[in-house]
Structures are given as structure tokens and as C-alpha cells.
Amino acid sequence: MAAWLLWLIAAGLFAAGEVASLDLVLLMFAGGALGGMSAAFLTDSVPLQLLAFAVVSVALLVVVRPVAKRHLVDRTPEQIDGVAVYVGRTAVVSQRVDNDSGRIRMGHDEWTARTQLDDEVFEVGDEVRIVQIEGPVAFVGRC
């Protein structure tokens, strides 16, 4: 079997392992294996292929991994994720909403809803604004 093909298989295995670990280390080794594969195209020397693998892997681990990890992990206060992204959006009432029960529809999603104020009631077809989300319940108010 050709050496470049073995390196390609190794890169694929490292990449598949990365899916399980999600630590960005095996992905850097996959890049190193691609470096070994490139060396295999140029020479039949196994030591040179291993050197290319090691150099590319270390370079990726030292230079690329910290930057990639920082972009994946660090969050700023301006970044909204989870259900908080829905706060402020509008929805349409699909089942009468009052302080005790109700349903709203946002696109293809349907949520359990309650009114923010005790005396508010929204009928089917009314447009409402999501003001707060607690667990599976969206609290809504007038647009």
C-alpha cells in the first residue's frame, strides 16, 4: 500500500477521534498526518515523513490550537446563546394566552406561553413579544 494512503487514513482516523474528544488535539495530529502525506509524495524516506508529521503537528498545536480554542470557548457579554436569543422576538398566539396557560408559535416552533401581567389576555392570531423565558415557558407581552 502506498505510504501517502496510509498517512491519509491516519489523518481520517485522527479527525474521527477528534469528534469524540472535542479537544482540538487529535485534529492537529490529523493536520500533521496530512503533512506526512505531503512528504510521502515527495520522498520514500520514512524518517522524513515522520519528521514532517512531527513538525506540522507541533506547529499546529503551538500556533493554531490556542487561537482556535480561544474562539470556541471565550464568550463576550454581547454574545447571546441558548434560549436567551428568543427574548425580544415576536410570535403569534396559537392558543389563547393568559396568566395560566397558552401557546405561541415562532416560525416552526411552538412554545408554552404565559402573560407577563396578570390581567393580560391574548387571543389566537395576536402578535406578542417574548419578554422572558423560564424553562419551557415563554412569558409574553404586547408588541
Side-chain angles (χ1 to χ4, degrees):
M1 186 177 284
W4 68 267
L5 186 56
L6 292 175
W7 284 110
L8 183 61
I9 291 169
L13 291 174
F14 280 129
E18 178 62 38
V19 173
S21 73
L22 299 175
D23 198 33
L24 297 179
V25 173
L26 294 177
L27 190 60
M28 302 304 122
F29 288 151
L34 293 177
M37 181 184 78
S38 299
F41 280 127
L42 300 175
T43 181
D44 290 335
S45 172
V46 174
L48 285 178
Q49 294 172 24
L50 289 172
L51 181 65
F53 168 75
V55 168
V56 172
S57 294
V58 168
L60 290 173
L61 283 168
V62 171
V63 177
V64 175
R65 184 177 179 269
V67 174
K69 190 125 175 129
R70 186 172 44 248
H71 282 290
L72 290 174
V73 174
D74 289 349
R75 299 257 179 215
T76 64
E78 293 83 27
Q79 289 175 309
I80 299 174
D81 57 357
V83 294
V85 73
Y86 294 113
V87 174
R89 292 190 179 179
T90 59
V92 177
V93 175
S94 59
Q95 181 183 5
R96 186 177 188 264
V97 177
D98 57 27
N99 196 34
D100 297 317
S101 65
R103 305 282 291 173
I104 58 170
R105 180 173 291 284
M106 287 183 302
H108 298 294
D109 296 330
E110 191 157 359
W111 286 62
T112 301
R114 306 285 183 269
T115 58
Q116 183 181 22
L117 304 173
D118 290 338
D119 60 344
E120 279 185 315
V121 174
F122 299 105
E123 299 299 331
V124 174
D126 288 349
E127 189 172 65
V128 293
R129 183 166 311 280
I130 298 170
V131 293
Q132 180 181 354
I133 295 179
E134 288 183 12
V137 179
F139 289 88
V140 296
R142 298 212 180 276
C143 286

